[in-house]
């Protein structure tokens, strides 16, 4: 027979393990601050965080694509955006974007995971 | 990281509120969170998940102590309330907590299996469900003794017809609330008051459990929770009922552990089902589905949130139940039942329109008939099983 204190110990163990997983998740998902000029072909696959103004927004059924400008330009795309995303992103907005760098048709672009209108 | 921990803790405290107070549901709180918290995103999703998990632990306290059922645990009310009347409410609550915690731990270990096999058999399971449910209805009736079969058939017919009327135009959340309140809440309280049932003083002793039971019941709850997480229309109570009918005789203690596990595992897997089959199978999961698009990295976040919230749920349930049961020992049980009855009737009047009040009244009458004829109270579950069976028959 196991006693009650074993239950509380197991529960405490779950909490500690949960916190470790949370820390690991943040370590893995952390975006590295970069300027657009600093993003090169070597950055493909890595997560970056950039600031820039929005240009040439194109809205589709399952995605929103736009250009981000901070002196240099890079394409960005949001897949399966939430309804509010269509309203939030306007031309010339200053956005902080976090996403992964990928290649599309020979050009670098950012697949947006999260963004904030500044 | 501290920001999201804050959201998780906020969700845990909201889970206490929704678990303790009948009528305040996690679905409602989830919708309110997305409406009134700006820039809702993954943080709010974590808050909702934490709220759901803590709710699944805490909501057994009112059902066991006061006989007040909630939508997802009403089959625990009857065995749990029996423990309460014997002065062993703490043991009953701890059984559900043990089932919930071990269910979550084993559920997380079986997660890769859930993602691979569970989703592959998603559509296969649905094909045979109608037959299983039809068989269950027959078992429910014909397992009664000879002189009670007629009453069993009558109660199944009446409950099933009532459920059909409630659900025929789509799910009516307040209609289901009214029916459950009538079947398992008001009828139980009226019977308690009229028979002057008295309860023994609640004794809080150190809880102990067998290792084997702590593994066996959660395994059953993973099966039940997986089925509910994947198949629309089935709830935790129906899954518990199916497993009990298929398994055969099951000790009340193991049953409470199993239902505690099914409740927690179902909710947990409904969030993972969002990623694997792209569909939410619980209210909070549906809210999250409209909020964000889950990717594989965020599975880690869900696992972390579930573990932290489960731990919080265990500790807070133990704390609240000890304080509450000590307080209940000082109270006149009959007056307490009258007070709870008035509160539930008031809540029903506030939340329900006149159609739903008629549903509550009808369900109460059927519930009282079930008690007086001494047939299984779980026969009233036909109010959900019959319409669901008809639904799956149309899919064949």
């Amino acid at each position: 027979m196991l006693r009650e204190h074993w239950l509380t110990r197991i529960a405490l163990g779950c909490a500690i393990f949960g916190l470790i997983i949370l820390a690991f998740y943040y370590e893995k998902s952390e975006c590295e601050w970069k300027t657009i000029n600093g993003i090169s072909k070597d950055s493909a696959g890595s997560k970056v965080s950039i600031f820039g103004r929005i240009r040439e927004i194109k809205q589709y059924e399952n995605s929103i694509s736009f250009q981000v400008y901070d002196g240099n330009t890079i394409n960005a795309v949001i897949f399966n955006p939430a309804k509010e995303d269509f309203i939030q992103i306007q031309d010339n907005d200053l956005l902080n974007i976090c996403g992964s760098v990928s290649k599309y048709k020979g050009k670098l672009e950012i697949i947006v995971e999260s963004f904030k209108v500044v | 990281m501290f920001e999201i921990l804050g959201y998780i803790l906020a969700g845990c405290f909201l889970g206490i509120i929704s678990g303790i107070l009948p009528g305040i549901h996690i679905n409602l709180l989830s919708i309110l969170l997305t409406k009134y918290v700006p820039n809702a995103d993954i943080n709010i999703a974590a808050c909702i998940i934490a709220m759901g998990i803590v709710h699944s632990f805490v909501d057994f306290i009112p059902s066991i102590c006061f006989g007040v059922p909630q939508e997802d645990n009403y089959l625990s009310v009857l065995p749990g309330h029996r423990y309460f009347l014997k002065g062993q409410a703490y043991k009953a609550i701890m059984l559900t907590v043990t089932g919930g915690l071990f269910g979550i731990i084993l559920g997380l270990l079986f997660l890769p299996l859930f993602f691979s096999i569970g989703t592959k058999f998603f559509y296969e399971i649905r094909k045979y469900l109608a037959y299983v449910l039809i068989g269950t209805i027959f078992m429910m009736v014909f397992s009664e003794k000879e002189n009670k079969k007629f009453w069993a058939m009558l109660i199944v017919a009446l409950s099933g017809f009532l459920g059909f009327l409630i659900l025929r135009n789509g799910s009516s959340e307040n209609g289901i609330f009214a029916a459950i309140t009538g079947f398992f809440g008001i009828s139980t309280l009226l019977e308690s008051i009229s028979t002057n049932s008295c309860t023994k003083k609640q004794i809080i002793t150190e809880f102990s459990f067998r290792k084997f039971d702590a593994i066996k019941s959660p395994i059953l709850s993973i099966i039940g929770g997986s089925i509910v997480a994947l198949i629309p229309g089935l709830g935790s109570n129906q899954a518990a009922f199916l497993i009990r009918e298929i398994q055969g005789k099951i000790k009340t203690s193991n049953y409470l552990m199993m239902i505690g596990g099914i409740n927690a595992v179902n909710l947990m897997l409904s969030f993972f089902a969002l990623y694997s089959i792209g569909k939410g199978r619980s209210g909070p999961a549906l809210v999250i589905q409209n909020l964000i698009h889950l990717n594989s990295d965020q599975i880690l976040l869900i696992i972390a949130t579930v573990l932290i919230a489960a731990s919080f749920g265990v500790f807070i349930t133990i704390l609240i139940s000890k304080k509450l049961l000590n307080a209940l020992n000082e109270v006149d049980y009959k007056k307490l039942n009258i007070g709870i009855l008035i509160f539930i009737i008031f809540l029903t009047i506030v939340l329900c329109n006149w159609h739903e009040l008629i549903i509550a009244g009808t369900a109460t009458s059927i519930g009282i008939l079930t008690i007086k004829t001494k047939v299984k109270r779980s026969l009233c579950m036909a109010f959900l099983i019959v319409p669901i069976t008809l639904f799956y028959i149309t899919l064949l």
Side-chain angles (χ1 to χ4, degrees), chain A residues 1-15 17-19 21-26 28-29 47 79-80 82-84 88 113 116, chain B residues 1 4-5 8 39 43 90 94 97-98 101-102 105 205-211 291 293 297-298 300-301 303-304 307-308 311 314-315 318 322:
Chain A
M1 297 287 271
L2 288 175
R3 291 196 175 164
E4 188 174 317
H5 64 261
W6 276 107
L7 197 66
T8 51
R9 282 178 193 179
I10 291 167
L12 191 62
C14 286
F17 195 53
L19 287 168
I21 294 175
L22 196 63
F24 178 71
Y25 165 75
Y26 267 88
K28 204 178 166 213
S29 66
K47 286 196 180 174
F79 288 113
N80 298 310
K83 285 176 198 165
E84 293 79 25
Q88 272 191 58
E113 290 177 11
K116 275 189 185 143
Chain B
M1 177 171 149
I4 201 154
L5 258 179
I8 292 171
N39 297 323
N43 289 339
Y90 184 69
M94 289 305 290
V97 164
T98 308
L101 180 65
F102 281 93
I105 292 170
T205 53
E206 197 189 14
F207 173 70
S208 58
F209 56 98
R210 294 195 315 159
K211 277 181 248 185
L291 199 63
H293 182 76
D297 285 342
Q298 287 159 341
L300 279 178
L301 176 62
I303 292 171
L307 284 169
I308 295 168
S311 171
V314 168
F315 285 109
I318 293 173
K322 279 181 177 170

Side-chain angles (χ1 to χ4, degrees), chain B residues 170-190:
Chain B
S171 177
S172 159
E173 200 167 299
N174 284 342
I176 295 173
F177 165 75
I180 292 167
T181 304
F183 282 127
F184 302 105
I186 297 175
S187 55
T188 307
L189 287 165
L190 283 171

Side-chain angles (χ1 to χ4, degrees), chain B residues 154-378:
Chain B
L154 181 65
I155 285 161
V156 165
L158 290 171
S159 309
F161 185 62
L162 183 65
F164 175 72
L165 290 175
I166 295 169
L167 294 172
R168 67 180 170 157
N169 292 324
S171 177
S172 159
E173 200 167 299
N174 284 342
I176 295 173
F177 165 75
I180 292 167
T181 304
F183 282 127
F184 302 105
I186 297 175
S187 55
T188 307
L189 287 165
L190 283 171
E191 177 66 13
S192 267
I193 293 165
S194 67
T195 55
N196 287 317
S197 68
C198 58
T199 175
K200 289 184 179 173
K201 199 174 164 95
Q202 296 302 321
I203 299 165
I204 300 169
T205 53
E206 197 189 14
F207 173 70
S208 58
F209 56 98
R210 294 195 315 159
K211 277 181 248 185
F212 176 72
D213 290 337
I215 304 293
K216 182 186 167 191
S217 299
I219 288 175
L220 292 174
S221 48
I222 288 164
I223 297 168
S226 304
I227 293 171
V228 175
L230 292 171
I231 309 296
L234 275 189
S236 305
N237 295 282
Q238 292 93 306
F241 179 83
L242 273 174
I243 290 172
R244 191 185 65 182
E245 294 299 313
I246 293 167
Q247 161 92 354
K249 268 200 171 239
I250 181 169
K251 280 196 304 188
T252 308
S253 57
N254 288 348
Y255 182 74
L256 280 172
M257 224 185 266
M258 181 183 74
I259 208 163
I262 288 178
N263 220 21
V265 169
N266 160 42
L267 199 62
M268 177 183 74
L269 291 181
S270 71
F271 299 124
F272 291 114
L274 264 181
Y275 173 72
S276 61
I277 58 172
K279 294 178 198 287
R281 290 280 179 248
S282 64
L286 281 168
V287 171
I288 292 172
Q289 186 177 2
N290 291 329
L291 199 63
I292 57 168
H293 182 76
L294 282 176
N295 60 42
S296 53
D297 285 342
Q298 287 159 341
I299 295 295
L300 279 178
L301 176 62
I302 299 177
I303 292 171
T305 306
V306 165
L307 284 169
I308 295 168
S311 171
F312 185 93
V314 168
F315 285 109
I316 204 70
T317 305
I318 293 173
L319 180 69
I320 292 175
S321 56
K322 279 181 177 170
K323 293 213 177 288
L324 185 66
L325 291 170
N326 281 327
L328 283 177
N329 283 333
E330 310 300 320
V331 170
D332 181 300
Y333 186 61
K334 186 170 179 177
K335 285 181 187 168
L336 178 67
N337 274 341
I338 293 170
I340 293 167
L341 180 65
I342 293 169
F343 173 72
I344 289 180
I345 291 172
F346 171 74
L347 197 66
T348 312
I349 292 169
V350 163
L351 291 176
C352 300
N353 59 33
W354 68 270
H355 299 120
E356 289 151 357
L357 286 174
I358 294 173
I359 290 169
T362 312
T364 303
S365 311
I366 299 171
I368 291 171
L369 178 66
T370 315
I371 295 169
K372 294 299 183 194
T373 53
K374 292 184 175 25
V375 294
K376 285 197 286 285
R377 296 291 300 278
S378 52

